[in-house]
Amino acid sequence: MTGLYIALEGPEGAGKTTQLQRLSARLRSAGLEVVETREPGGTAVGEAVRALLLDPARHLSPEAEMLLFAAARAQLVREVVQPALERGQVVLSDRSVYASLAYQGFGRGLDLEVIRRVNEVATAGLLPDLVLLLDLPVEEGLRRDVGGQAADRIEGEGVEFHRRVREGFLQLSREDARIRVVPATDDPERVEARIWEEVRRVLEGRGGGGTRT
């Protein structure tokens, strides 16, 4: 099988990291080679950018934030994602370009087409084959995510910001067939089962590598 690129998305606290690990274990048990990564991050450059982006002491303009996410993504695509796909591996990413559309577009109010054009350069047109959107109410997600710990710069935004992000993700899902919505309010085992059903369909029906715009 040629490479497969899967991203997990959703509002804060949706359980992306947990479900990525569970999906990775299932894919490996099926005999597939898996590369796990995250955005921003996944490379030395990306992790340095991540620390800057999430630092609550930093004050970034929406434009600077969008460009920093794109810079980290560009490095990740060229250093990790594309080579893994060329080796025929499955790439599982905690977030992708769709997060920039939701957070910097719907959340911050930047022009969606500008974000798309910037990220077309950053990714050389590479998009995930499948996006699993884990969805749940904003208040529940923030309660899960912070859990008494200090919030990072983006988690610490107001509830209205996070509501715009969630609605943005849902609007994107209505416009893009790559995105499959998975309710994340169920227990983790049921969420895992729904995710696996979506991935299984793609594994059975696909033929190529990463999808290009």
Side-chain angles (χ1 to χ4, degrees), residues 4-30:
L4 178 65
Y5 183 14
I6 300 173
L8 280 77
E9 291 284 7
E12 303 298 322
K16 300 181 310 302
T17 303
T18 296
Q19 292 300 332
L20 186 147
Q21 293 168 351
R22 290 181 177 220
L23 177 57
S24 178
R26 282 211 183 206
L27 289 166
R28 287 192 170 102
S29 69

Side-chain angles (χ1 to χ4, degrees), residues 2-146:
T2 54
L4 178 65
Y5 183 14
I6 300 173
L8 280 77
E9 291 284 7
E12 303 298 322
K16 300 181 310 302
T17 303
T18 296
Q19 292 300 332
L20 186 147
Q21 293 168 351
R22 290 181 177 220
L23 177 57
S24 178
R26 282 211 183 206
L27 289 166
R28 287 192 170 102
S29 69
L32 298 173
E33 294 184 23
V34 179
V35 173
E36 299 176 27
T37 192
R38 68 178 183 175
E39 291 196 14
T43 67
V45 169
E47 292 297 330
V49 174
R50 182 186 183 90
L52 176 62
L53 280 164
L54 300 186
D55 183 352
R58 303 287 181 179
H59 300 283
L60 301 175
S61 71
E63 293 82 3
E65 182 180 273
M66 182 264 291
L67 290 167
L68 284 168
F69 273 109
R73 184 170 296 124
Q75 191 70 21
L76 181 69
V77 166
R78 285 157 182 79
E79 190 174 323
V80 176
V81 178
Q82 190 62 55
L85 295 176
E86 290 171 357
R87 293 191 298 267
Q89 296 172 317
V90 179
V91 176
L92 297 182
S93 182
D94 186 336
R95 296 213 182 278
S96 69
V97 65
Y98 291 92
S100 284
L101 294 168
Y103 279 83
Q104 284 78 58
F106 291 93
R108 302 290 190 205
L110 295 182
D111 188 297
L112 291 175
E113 288 311 308
V114 170
I115 297 171
R116 286 189 172 100
R117 289 199 300 272
V118 167
N119 280 279
E120 171 75 17
V121 175
T123 65
L126 185 69
L127 292 172
D129 296 289
L130 173 66
V131 179
L132 298 160
L133 174 56
L134 305 184
D135 180 56
L136 81 171
V138 165
E139 291 82 359
E140 180 179 347
L142 292 174
R143 189 165 54 248
R144 286 184 188 181
D145 202 45
V146 177

